[in-house]
Amino acid sequence: MKSLTLQDLNVEDSLRLFFGGTFDPHAEIERELEPFLQALEEYAVEWMPNLVEGKRRRKYSRAAVWKALEETRNEYSSLIGIYRTTSPAVALTINPGLTHRRPELGTSLEVQPLSFFGEAERCRKFVEMVRVWASRYPVPYAAAHSMADDQLSGAPYFGRDDETTRRDGFDKVYEVCWLNVFGPKLVETVGRERMLSTPAWRVEELPNGSVLLVTWPTAADFATEDSRQAQARALVHLRPELDFTTVLRTLRERSATLAPVEPHFHPDVAPLLSRVVDDFAISKRQRKIAEFNAWQPPEPEEWLPAESALPPDVNDQELVRGYYATLSERLVALLHSKVPSVFKETPESLTDVDVHFWLEDFPEVFERKNIDEHAVPAVGAYLGEVLVRNLGGQWIPRKKLGEAQVLVGQRVWLPMVRAHRYMRSRQSLLDYSLTRLYREAERHRP
């Protein structure tokens, strides 16, 4: 069984819930968490988790939860993860923390994809689960919303610095999400009568004085015009000093930012860019796809006509070719644990190398002297070896490493020159990608 990683959860939009409720730290943890798990089991149904992870992984059961909490407990908290390993993907963390001013049952829940909550009945059950939790574990504020839209909203800082955010928390209504639980203090700040008269799909006062507010029947439809208008009306009602037109315009802009964009990347680098965009936050991904659709990688210039090739100027050509192979092996040694395909020396392995260096921000992270003296020769030699192995290329050795050439058809390619340009910056990894040069060379092979 495989639990979800942060990378897994960044694949597409999710319904994300943040919930930090008060609990009794002196009571038995099993008794305190019983209502929490009971509500989860009753209302999750189609997205019920099946894996518990503490210091080891176990199939979900209450006993597995108690065991995980016990084995991860320290003087501060007891953090565990509860996951679903089939679609829809679920990641639920539970952290009974004891270091806060009030003992807090810290909970973060993500269910992916958000589109799963396009059905009203599924959303109703989700709301009921949160209602039970909020009634049993009082919160200052809790919310569930699209992860992508949440990122665009500026949550949880809303323009504040870290210290202010930690000190004040959600001390006023900064945002209205799809589902909201306003704690008693926040309700009194706004005014209970005003809070309960909010124009929304569901507004309910809970037994502990909190107020549950849901703007729209379905979470997945948060970006539709009707849902945005409902969201804007609720926020402006709770914050009368705000202007409805301005709030709605901001929400519409966020919807436009998240609107799906069909990728139409340059075909030579499409395999590279399709993986690069996945590293961007969900909230930025569609705009980045649009940028890459418009971007054209520069035409490779690291070549000469075959008749202009520099002739070999070394005494033992095979010895120098062996040296190039040794340099290439240095790149394999450097990357093989994170990029296993580097052993194969294929066009696909070049793309894997491109992606790895981009994700690592390699040219910016490591010292320039080491990059130029070690990484550039290794990358250039590896690129040359791939040209030789896959396109029938032939090394033309030179005394100066930067002049080394690979003859493919009627062109000679300069892999060391390409590697030097490639390793200048993170952007240059895309502008001068190994993938792009290979595809250009491929078109000119015999």
Side-chain angles (χ1 to χ4, degrees), residues 389-417:
R389 178 183 292 268
N390 296 274
L391 299 181
Q394 182 180 359
W395 279 108
I396 302 177
R398 296 284 296 177
K399 288 179 181 178
K400 291 184 177 180
L401 187 59
E403 295 178 355
Q405 305 153 97
V406 177
L407 175 64
V408 179
Q410 297 303 308
R411 288 188 175 189
V412 288
W413 298 90
L414 306 170
M416 298 299 173
V417 176

Side-chain angles (χ1 to χ4, degrees), residues 275-294:
R275 293 166 63 183
V276 166
V277 297
D278 285 344
D279 188 57
F280 287 89
I282 291 288
S283 57
K284 299 178 180 178
R285 190 167 301 161
Q286 302 307 314
R287 288 293 173 91
K288 186 54 64 173
I289 290 173
E291 289 178 22
F292 282 143
N293 281 345

Side-chain angles (χ1 to χ4, degrees), residues 45 88 146 151 226 357 390:
V45 190
S146 152
Q151 292 170 354
D226 288 345
F357 282 138
N390 296 274

Side-chain angles (χ1 to χ4, degrees), residues 176 178-180 182 195 198 200 202-203 211-215 234 238:
V176 171
W178 169 68
L179 180 154
N180 311 262
F182 299 103
M195 180 74 74
T198 303
R202 178 172 176 178
V203 180
V211 171
L212 171 71
L213 187 153
V214 182
T215 60
L238 297 173

Side-chain angles (χ1 to χ4, degrees), residues 311-318 320 324 396-400:
D313 63 351
V314 299
N315 294 327
D316 190 336
Q317 294 188 37
E318 289 308 312
V320 177
Y324 296 156
I396 302 177
R398 296 284 296 177
K399 288 179 181 178
K400 291 184 177 180

Side-chain angles (χ1 to χ4, degrees), residues 94 133 136 154 202 269 311 318 348 379 427 432:
I94 303 175
W133 287 356
R136 176 61 177 78
R202 178 172 176 178
V269 291
E318 289 308 312
E348 292 73 25
V379 170
Q427 180 58 42
Y432 303 104

Side-chain angles (χ1 to χ4, degrees), residues 78-93:
S78 185
L79 176 64
I80 68 170
I82 301 179
Y83 306 96
R84 180 180 174 90
T85 57
T86 57
S87 184
V90 176
L92 168 64
T93 60

